[in-house]
Amino acid sequence: MEIAYSLSIALQSHQPLITAIIITLLSLLAVRSFFKRPHHKSNVTGTATSSAKKQAREAKPPSSCNHTSNSAALLNGGAAGPAEEDMVMADVSKAVAEMQSGASMMEQLVPEITTHALSYLDYPSLCRLSMTNSLMRKAANDDNAWKALYHKDFTLEQDTVTPVNGWKAYYAATRAIMNVNTEFFNIIKDRSLSAMSRFWLNADYVKCIHASGVLFSGFNAVIQSWQHAFNWEQGVDFQVRDVRARVLTNMAWITMKTYVDMDNVAFNMTNIFEFHHGRWYLVDHHCSEMLADGDIGQQIVH
Protein backbone atom coordinates (compact mmCIF):
# COMPACT_ATOMS: atom_id res chain seq x y z
CA MET A 1 0.00 0.00 0.00
CA GLU A 2 2.83 2.42 0.89
CA ILE A 3 4.56 1.69 -2.43
CA ALA A 4 1.33 2.25 -4.39
CA TYR A 5 0.64 5.47 -2.50
CA SER A 6 4.18 6.75 -3.11
CA LEU A 7 3.89 5.89 -6.79
CA SER A 8 0.57 7.75 -7.02
CA ILE A 9 2.08 10.86 -5.38
CA ALA A 10 5.07 10.71 -7.73
CA LEU A 11 2.86 10.49 -10.80
CA GLN A 12 0.74 13.44 -9.65
CA SER A 13 3.82 15.58 -9.00
CA HIS A 14 5.20 14.82 -12.48
CA GLN A 15 1.89 15.14 -14.34
CA PRO A 16 3.05 18.13 -16.47
CA LEU A 17 6.11 16.13 -17.57
CA ILE A 18 3.96 13.09 -18.36
CA THR A 19 1.59 15.29 -20.40
CA ALA A 20 4.48 16.73 -22.41
CA ILE A 21 5.90 13.27 -23.09
CA ILE A 22 2.53 11.95 -24.29
CA ILE A 23 2.01 14.91 -26.65
CA THR A 24 5.53 14.50 -28.04
CA LEU A 25 5.13 10.76 -28.65
CA LEU A 26 1.74 11.14 -30.30
CA SER A 27 3.04 13.95 -32.50
CA LEU A 28 6.03 11.88 -33.58
CA LEU A 29 3.74 8.99 -34.48
CA ALA A 30 1.57 11.34 -36.51
CA VAL A 31 4.55 12.85 -38.37
CA ARG A 32 5.95 9.41 -39.13
CA SER A 33 2.57 8.31 -40.44
CA PHE A 34 2.26 11.46 -42.54
CA PHE A 35 5.48 10.81 -44.45
CA LYS A 36 4.45 7.21 -45.05
CA ARG A 37 1.19 8.29 -46.67
CA PRO A 38 0.85 8.95 -50.42
CA HIS A 39 0.26 12.62 -51.22
CA HIS A 40 -1.74 11.96 -54.40
CA LYS A 41 -4.61 9.60 -54.94
CA SER A 42 -3.87 6.79 -57.37
CA ASN A 43 -4.92 3.33 -58.30
CA VAL A 44 -2.99 1.23 -55.80
CA THR A 45 -3.16 -1.94 -57.85
CA GLY A 46 -2.14 -0.31 -61.10
CA THR A 47 0.67 1.69 -59.50
CA ALA A 48 1.93 -1.30 -57.58
CA THR A 49 1.98 -3.45 -60.72
CA SER A 50 3.79 -0.86 -62.83
CA SER A 51 6.29 -0.20 -60.02
CA ALA A 52 6.84 -3.88 -59.63
CA LYS A 53 7.49 -4.34 -63.33
CA LYS A 54 9.91 -1.42 -63.35
CA GLN A 55 11.82 -2.67 -60.34
CA ALA A 56 11.83 -6.20 -61.77
CA ARG A 57 13.27 -4.91 -65.05
CA GLU A 58 15.94 -2.99 -63.16
CA ALA A 59 16.81 -6.11 -61.19
CA LYS A 60 17.15 -8.18 -64.39
CA PRO A 61 20.67 -8.19 -65.91
CA PRO A 62 20.94 -6.51 -69.33
CA SER A 63 22.30 -9.57 -71.12
CA SER A 64 21.87 -13.22 -70.28
CA CYS A 65 21.18 -16.42 -72.17
CA ASN A 66 21.13 -18.82 -69.24
CA HIS A 67 17.52 -19.54 -68.19
CA THR A 68 18.26 -21.79 -65.24
CA SER A 69 15.68 -21.58 -62.47
CA ASN A 70 17.78 -22.30 -59.40
CA SER A 71 18.72 -19.81 -56.68
CA ALA A 72 22.42 -20.36 -57.20
CA ALA A 73 22.16 -18.98 -60.72
CA LEU A 74 20.36 -15.91 -59.44
CA LEU A 75 22.97 -15.30 -56.75
CA ASN A 76 25.73 -15.60 -59.36
CA GLY A 77 24.16 -12.97 -61.60
CA GLY A 78 22.16 -15.28 -63.83
CA ALA A 79 18.83 -14.25 -65.32
CA ALA A 80 15.62 -15.12 -63.50
CA GLY A 81 13.22 -17.42 -65.23
CA PRO A 82 9.50 -16.67 -65.67
CA ALA A 83 8.60 -18.23 -62.31
CA GLU A 84 11.24 -16.27 -60.40
CA GLU A 85 10.31 -13.04 -62.18
CA ASP A 86 6.66 -13.51 -61.20
CA MET A 87 7.70 -14.11 -57.60
CA VAL A 88 9.80 -10.94 -57.56
CA MET A 89 6.98 -8.92 -59.09
CA ALA A 90 4.52 -10.31 -56.53
CA ASP A 91 6.81 -9.42 -53.62
CA VAL A 92 7.44 -5.91 -54.92
CA SER A 93 3.74 -5.38 -55.61
CA LYS A 94 2.91 -6.40 -52.06
CA ALA A 95 5.51 -4.07 -50.60
CA VAL A 96 4.35 -1.12 -52.70
CA ALA A 97 0.71 -1.76 -51.81
CA GLU A 98 1.53 -1.86 -48.09
CA MET A 99 3.52 1.37 -48.38
CA GLN A 100 0.68 3.13 -50.17
CA SER A 101 -2.04 1.86 -47.85
CA GLY A 102 -1.07 4.61 -45.41
CA ALA A 103 -1.76 2.51 -42.30
CA SER A 104 -0.28 4.45 -39.39
CA MET A 105 0.87 3.32 -35.99
CA MET A 106 -1.71 5.63 -34.46
CA GLU A 107 -4.51 3.96 -36.39
CA GLN A 108 -3.26 0.54 -35.41
CA LEU A 109 -3.46 1.27 -31.69
CA VAL A 110 -6.35 -0.26 -29.77
CA PRO A 111 -8.96 2.54 -29.20
CA GLU A 112 -8.93 1.93 -25.45
CA ILE A 113 -5.15 2.54 -25.35
CA THR A 114 -5.48 5.79 -27.30
CA THR A 115 -8.27 7.01 -25.02
CA HIS A 116 -6.26 6.12 -21.93
CA ALA A 117 -3.20 8.00 -23.23
CA LEU A 118 -5.27 11.09 -24.07
CA SER A 119 -6.92 11.03 -20.63
CA TYR A 120 -3.64 12.37 -19.16
CA LEU A 121 -3.98 15.57 -21.21
CA ASP A 122 -5.74 18.67 -19.96
CA TYR A 123 -8.14 20.85 -21.95
CA PRO A 124 -5.52 23.17 -23.61
CA SER A 125 -3.20 20.25 -24.44
CA LEU A 126 -6.00 18.26 -26.09
CA CYS A 127 -6.98 21.29 -28.17
CA ARG A 128 -3.38 21.90 -29.26
CA LEU A 129 -2.98 18.24 -30.15
CA SER A 130 -6.04 18.38 -32.43
CA MET A 131 -4.38 21.16 -34.48
CA THR A 132 -1.24 19.20 -35.42
CA ASN A 133 -2.63 17.12 -38.30
CA SER A 134 -5.64 15.10 -39.43
CA LEU A 135 -4.68 11.98 -37.49
CA MET A 136 -4.25 13.85 -34.24
CA ARG A 137 -7.46 15.78 -34.87
CA LYS A 138 -9.35 12.52 -35.27
CA ALA A 139 -7.84 11.10 -32.08
CA ALA A 140 -8.32 14.31 -30.07
CA ASN A 141 -11.97 14.60 -31.15
CA ASP A 142 -12.79 11.13 -29.87
CA ASP A 143 -15.96 11.30 -27.77
CA ASN A 144 -14.62 8.98 -25.08
CA ALA A 145 -11.57 11.19 -24.57
CA TRP A 146 -13.76 14.25 -23.94
CA LYS A 147 -16.06 12.28 -21.65
CA ALA A 148 -13.06 11.25 -19.56
CA LEU A 149 -11.83 14.86 -19.48
CA TYR A 150 -15.29 16.06 -18.42
CA HIS A 151 -15.36 13.62 -15.51
CA LYS A 152 -11.84 14.63 -14.49
CA ASP A 153 -12.45 18.40 -14.62
CA PHE A 154 -16.07 18.61 -13.49
CA THR A 155 -18.06 15.73 -12.03
CA LEU A 156 -18.81 12.02 -12.26
CA GLU A 157 -22.49 12.61 -11.50
CA GLN A 158 -23.47 12.77 -15.18
CA ASP A 159 -21.95 9.47 -16.29
CA THR A 160 -25.29 8.28 -17.69
CA VAL A 161 -25.90 11.48 -19.65
CA THR A 162 -25.77 11.24 -23.45
CA PRO A 163 -25.11 14.74 -24.84
CA VAL A 164 -26.95 15.45 -28.09
CA ASN A 165 -23.90 17.00 -29.78
CA GLY A 166 -21.28 14.79 -28.15
CA TRP A 167 -19.06 15.18 -25.10
CA LYS A 168 -16.71 17.70 -26.68
CA ALA A 169 -19.54 20.19 -27.23
CA TYR A 170 -20.93 19.42 -23.78
CA TYR A 171 -17.53 20.02 -22.21
CA ALA A 172 -17.23 23.38 -23.99
CA ALA A 173 -20.74 24.41 -22.89
CA THR A 174 -20.03 23.42 -19.29
CA ARG A 175 -16.75 25.33 -19.25
CA ALA A 176 -18.54 28.38 -20.69
CA ILE A 177 -21.24 28.38 -17.99
CA MET A 178 -18.57 27.87 -15.32
CA ASN A 179 -16.80 30.99 -16.54
CA VAL A 180 -20.08 32.91 -16.43
CA ASN A 181 -20.64 31.75 -12.86
CA THR A 182 -17.14 32.94 -11.93
CA GLU A 183 -18.01 36.35 -13.37
CA PHE A 184 -20.97 36.50 -10.95
CA PHE A 185 -18.65 36.33 -7.94
CA ASN A 186 -16.26 38.86 -9.49
CA ILE A 187 -19.17 41.31 -9.77
CA ILE A 188 -20.00 40.78 -6.09
CA LYS A 189 -16.37 41.39 -5.10
CA ASP A 190 -16.30 44.61 -7.17
CA ARG A 191 -19.77 45.63 -5.91
CA SER A 192 -20.65 46.84 -9.40
CA LEU A 193 -24.39 47.46 -9.67
CA SER A 194 -24.19 48.25 -13.40
CA ALA A 195 -22.44 44.94 -14.12
CA MET A 196 -24.98 43.08 -11.97
CA SER A 197 -27.81 44.73 -13.93
CA ARG A 198 -26.34 43.48 -17.20
CA PHE A 199 -25.78 40.04 -15.70
CA TRP A 200 -29.47 39.42 -14.94
CA LEU A 201 -32.17 38.85 -17.55
CA ASN A 202 -34.55 41.80 -17.69
CA ALA A 203 -37.76 39.87 -17.11
CA ASP A 204 -40.57 39.90 -14.58
CA TYR A 205 -40.14 36.24 -13.63
CA VAL A 206 -36.54 36.40 -12.33
CA LYS A 207 -36.12 35.53 -8.65
CA CYS A 208 -33.48 36.18 -6.01
CA ILE A 209 -33.28 34.86 -2.45
CA HIS A 210 -30.37 36.23 -0.42
CA ALA A 211 -28.97 34.65 2.73
CA SER A 212 -31.53 36.60 4.76
CA GLY A 213 -34.25 34.41 3.27
CA VAL A 214 -36.20 37.30 1.73
CA LEU A 215 -37.58 36.64 -1.76
CA PHE A 216 -37.26 39.32 -4.45
CA SER A 217 -39.25 38.82 -7.64
CA GLY A 218 -38.96 40.76 -10.90
CA PHE A 219 -35.98 42.50 -12.46
CA ASN A 220 -36.35 45.86 -10.69
CA ALA A 221 -36.81 44.32 -7.25
CA VAL A 222 -33.85 41.99 -7.75
CA ILE A 223 -31.48 44.76 -8.82
CA GLN A 224 -32.67 46.94 -5.94
CA SER A 225 -31.86 44.11 -3.52
CA TRP A 226 -28.32 43.96 -4.84
CA GLN A 227 -27.99 47.73 -4.47
CA HIS A 228 -28.86 47.43 -0.78
CA ALA A 229 -26.44 44.51 -0.41
CA PHE A 230 -23.57 46.45 -2.01
CA ASN A 231 -24.25 49.54 0.11
CA TRP A 232 -24.49 47.58 3.35
CA GLU A 233 -21.81 44.96 2.96
CA GLN A 234 -18.11 45.54 2.76
CA GLY A 235 -16.01 43.77 0.18
CA VAL A 236 -15.94 40.04 0.91
CA ASP A 237 -13.73 37.24 -0.32
CA PHE A 238 -15.58 34.11 -1.40
CA GLN A 239 -14.19 30.62 -1.61
CA VAL A 240 -16.37 28.59 -3.96
CA ARG A 241 -16.17 24.80 -3.78
CA ASP A 242 -18.03 21.68 -4.94
CA VAL A 243 -19.30 23.39 -8.09
CA ARG A 244 -21.69 21.21 -10.11
CA ALA A 245 -23.22 22.27 -13.44
CA ARG A 246 -25.91 20.86 -15.68
CA VAL A 247 -26.30 22.37 -19.14
CA LEU A 248 -29.24 22.01 -21.50
CA THR A 249 -29.87 23.76 -24.80
CA ASN A 250 -31.21 27.04 -23.41
CA MET A 251 -30.96 26.51 -19.65
CA ALA A 252 -28.26 25.68 -17.12
CA TRP A 253 -28.06 25.49 -13.36
CA ILE A 254 -25.11 25.45 -11.00
CA THR A 255 -24.96 24.36 -7.38
CA MET A 256 -22.03 25.16 -5.12
CA LYS A 257 -20.85 25.72 -1.57
CA THR A 258 -19.56 29.18 -0.76
CA TYR A 259 -17.42 30.14 2.20
CA VAL A 260 -17.00 33.72 3.42
CA ASP A 261 -13.66 34.30 5.12
CA MET A 262 -14.70 37.33 7.18
CA ASP A 263 -17.32 35.42 9.19
CA ASN A 264 -16.23 31.85 8.50
CA VAL A 265 -19.77 31.17 7.34
CA ALA A 266 -20.72 28.59 4.71
CA PHE A 267 -23.62 28.89 2.26
CA ASN A 268 -25.37 26.66 -0.23
CA MET A 269 -25.95 28.51 -3.50
CA THR A 270 -27.86 27.77 -6.68
CA ASN A 271 -27.71 29.86 -9.86
CA ILE A 272 -30.05 29.22 -12.79
CA PHE A 273 -29.27 30.67 -16.21
CA GLU A 274 -31.14 31.05 -19.48
CA PHE A 275 -29.58 31.50 -22.91
CA HIS A 276 -30.85 34.52 -24.86
CA HIS A 277 -29.40 36.41 -27.84
CA GLY A 278 -26.11 34.52 -27.82
CA ARG A 279 -25.26 34.76 -24.11
CA TRP A 280 -26.21 33.42 -20.68
CA TYR A 281 -28.33 35.47 -18.26
CA LEU A 282 -29.00 34.80 -14.60
CA VAL A 283 -32.71 34.26 -13.87
CA ASP A 284 -32.64 32.76 -10.37
CA HIS A 285 -30.24 33.02 -7.43
CA HIS A 286 -30.79 31.24 -4.13
CA CYS A 287 -28.45 31.51 -1.15
CA SER A 288 -29.00 29.87 2.23
CA GLU A 289 -26.74 29.28 5.19
CA MET A 290 -25.53 25.72 5.62
CA LEU A 291 -26.99 23.96 8.63
CA ALA A 292 -24.82 22.36 11.28
CA ASP A 293 -25.12 18.63 11.87
CA GLY A 294 -27.34 19.10 14.92
CA ASP A 295 -29.62 21.50 13.06
CA ILE A 296 -30.12 18.94 10.30
CA GLY A 297 -31.59 16.41 12.72
CA GLN A 298 -33.82 19.08 14.21
CA GLN A 299 -35.10 20.08 10.78
CA ILE A 300 -35.95 16.45 9.94
CA VAL A 301 -37.89 16.02 13.20
CA HIS A 302 -39.98 19.15 12.64
Side-chain angles (χ1 to χ4, degrees):
M1 290 294 293
E2 294 181 357
I3 296 176
Y5 177 76
S6 300
L7 180 59
S8 176
I9 296 299
L11 289 175
Q12 291 179 4
S13 61
H14 293 83
Q15 187 171 3
L17 177 60
I18 295 175
T19 299
I21 292 174
I22 292 175
I23 294 178
T24 303
L25 290 176
L26 292 177
S27 300
L28 289 175
L29 288 176
V31 172
R32 182 178 183 273
S33 303
F34 174 78
F35 284 108
K36 288 180 64 179
R37 288 181 174 271
H39 296 281
H40 300 282
K41 294 183 178 180
S42 61
N43 188 318
V44 175
T45 304
T47 306
T49 303
S50 60
S51 300
K53 291 182 178 179
K54 180 179 180 181
Q55 295 186 29
R57 286 195 300 268
E58 292 176 352
K60 184 177 180 179
S63 62
S64 177
C65 55
N66 183 11
H67 295 286
T68 56
S69 58
N70 56 64
S71 57
L74 293 175
L75 292 174
N76 291 326
E84 285 78 6
E85 184 173 338
D86 291 340
M87 291 176 60
V88 173
M89 291 178 60
D91 291 339
V92 175
S93 299
K94 181 179 179 181
V96 174
E98 289 178 353
M99 182 180 65
Q100 294 184 345
S101 65
S104 66
M105 295 181 65
M106 191 69 186
E107 292 172 328
Q108 294 174 9
L109 288 177
V110 179
E112 289 78 8
I113 297 179
T114 304
T115 301
H116 180 72
L118 295 179
S119 67
Y120 287 94
L121 303 182
D122 56 7
Y123 171 69
S125 299
L126 200 57
C127 291
R128 286 194 292 266
L129 182 64
S130 66
M131 294 186 290
T132 55
N133 56 53
S134 60
L135 286 177
M136 291 296 99
R137 182 168 61 251
K138 181 180 178 181
N141 287 336
D142 181 72
D143 210 44
N144 291 323
W146 284 97
K147 181 179 181 180
L149 184 62
Y150 179 89
H151 289 161
K152 183 174 68 174
D153 288 354
F154 300 124
T155 177
L156 291 172
E157 293 177 350
Q158 302 181 38
D159 185 61
T160 58
V161 172
T162 304
V164 177
N165 297 319
W167 280 99
K168 182 178 181 180
Y170 192 68
Y171 182 97
T174 303
R175 178 170 286 273
I177 198 64
M178 288 289 197
N179 292 337
V180 173
N181 193 65
T182 301
E183 182 183 352
F184 171 74
F185 289 100
N186 291 335
I187 293 174
I188 294 178
K189 291 178 182 179
D190 296 337
R191 291 186 294 172
S192 174
L193 186 62
S194 59
M196 185 63 76
S197 299
R198 294 189 298 268
F199 195 79
W200 282 80
L201 180 67
N202 192 343
D204 56 359
Y205 59 82
V206 298
K207 301 286 191 298
C208 182
I209 302 178
H210 293 283
S212 62
V214 179
L215 170 65
F216 298 90
S217 182
F219 178 79
N220 293 331
V222 167
I223 299 305
Q224 187 176 6
S225 73
W226 284 107
Q227 182 178 13
H228 291 315
F230 292 158
N231 291 335
W232 180 72
E233 295 179 356
Q234 297 179 352
V236 294
D237 185 18
F238 288 96
Q239 294 183 6
V240 184
R241 302 174 183 173
D242 298 332
V243 182
R244 299 289 184 268
R246 178 75 172 100
V247 185
L248 302 180
T249 304
N250 296 314
M251 178 178 290
W253 58 91
I254 298 180
T255 60
M256 70 216 86
K257 295 177 181 178
T258 308
Y259 299 84
V260 181
D261 290 341
M262 58 179 297
D263 295 325
N264 196 22
V265 179
F267 299 92
N268 285 316
M269 282 191 183
T270 301
N271 284 340
I272 302 177
F273 298 87
E274 288 185 1
F275 195 79
H276 295 276
H277 310 296
R279 56 160 291 189
W280 291 101
Y281 290 91
L282 186 63
V283 296
D284 191 290
H285 169 75
H286 191 159
C287 177
S288 60
E289 186 174 349
M290 294 177 60
L291 298 176
D293 293 340
D295 295 335
I296 295 176
Q298 186 177 4
Q299 287 286 337
I300 294 176
V301 172
H302 295 289

